[in-house]
Amino acid sequence: MEQARTALAERIAEQRAGLGDPRALVGEMRRSVLLVPSVDGRLWSAHSGGVRWVCAFTDETALARFAEQRGMAGRPLDYAALLGARIVDEIVPGLGEPAGLAVDIATEDGSMFFPPVAGIVPDGAAVDAGAAVDAAGAAGSDGEGHDRGR
C-alpha cells in the first residue's frame, strides 16, 4: 500500500503537471520538514551544473528509495530533519558557493529543484542577485559526482 504524499510532494506533483503555483510551491517547501541524509555528520550534497545541491526528501519512503539506489539500503542511514526554510536560508548560504535544494531526487517524476535564485535563497546567496561567490575553494567530488556538504 502506498504511503500518502506529504503536502510538499503534492505541490511538486501539481507543479510538474503544469497546474501549480510556483510561489505556493516555494512556500510549502519552506514550511516542510525535510529529511537530509548525513554521512560522518555532514549533510549529503551533490554537484551538478556548477551548483552544489543539498539533497533532501519529503518522507522516509523517498529517503529509503534514495538509499536503495545508492546501494546503502542494507545499513542505517543517518539523517537530519530540517525545515526547508532553514536549509535555504542558513545552510545553502553557508556553503560559500552557488547552492540550491534538490528534493526527492530518487523519486521518478517526483523530484524538484529549488535553484540559488532570488525568492528561494537569500539575496546574498542568489546567483541572479549579483552575489559574488567564489567557488574556487569548493570541496572535491567523492568519485560518483556527489559531495558531502555541511
Side-chain angles (χ1 to χ4, degrees):
M1 184 171 167
E2 189 172 319
Q3 175 179 325
R5 288 186 189 174
T6 65
L8 179 56
E10 287 291 335
R11 292 270 188 208
I12 289 171
E14 290 170 3
Q15 189 66 42
R16 291 180 63 98
L19 306 172
D21 174 0
R23 291 173 304 218
L25 174 64
V26 171
E28 193 62 51
M29 173 273 294
R30 294 182 61 77
R31 289 186 296 275
S32 295
V33 173
L34 297 168
L35 309 180
V36 183
S38 64
V39 176
D40 298 327
R42 297 172 65 88
L43 299 178
W44 187 277
S45 65
H47 268 115
S48 180
V51 175
R52 180 183 293 241
W53 298 96
V54 174
C55 302
F57 301 89
T58 54
D59 58 30
E60 288 183 339
T61 300
L63 178 60
R65 191 175 303 114
F66 169 78
E68 184 176 321
Q69 288 183 1
R70 293 281 167 230
M72 304 181 302
R75 55 186 178 221
L77 180 62
D78 291 332
Y79 63 87
L82 302 167
L83 276 176
R86 181 161 184 225
I87 296 169
V88 297
D89 291 347
E90 297 175 25
I91 294 169
V92 163
L95 293 174
E97 64 184 298
L101 175 62
V103 176
D104 287 352
I105 59 172
T107 302
E108 187 175 335
D109 297 328
S111 62
M112 184 60 61
F113 291 79
F114 296 89
V117 296
I120 295 178
V121 299
D123 287 347
V127 296
D128 63 342
V133 179
D134 178 14
S141 171
D142 68 3
E144 294 184 23
H146 293 87
D147 298 304
R148 294 183 176 100
R150 294 194 321 157

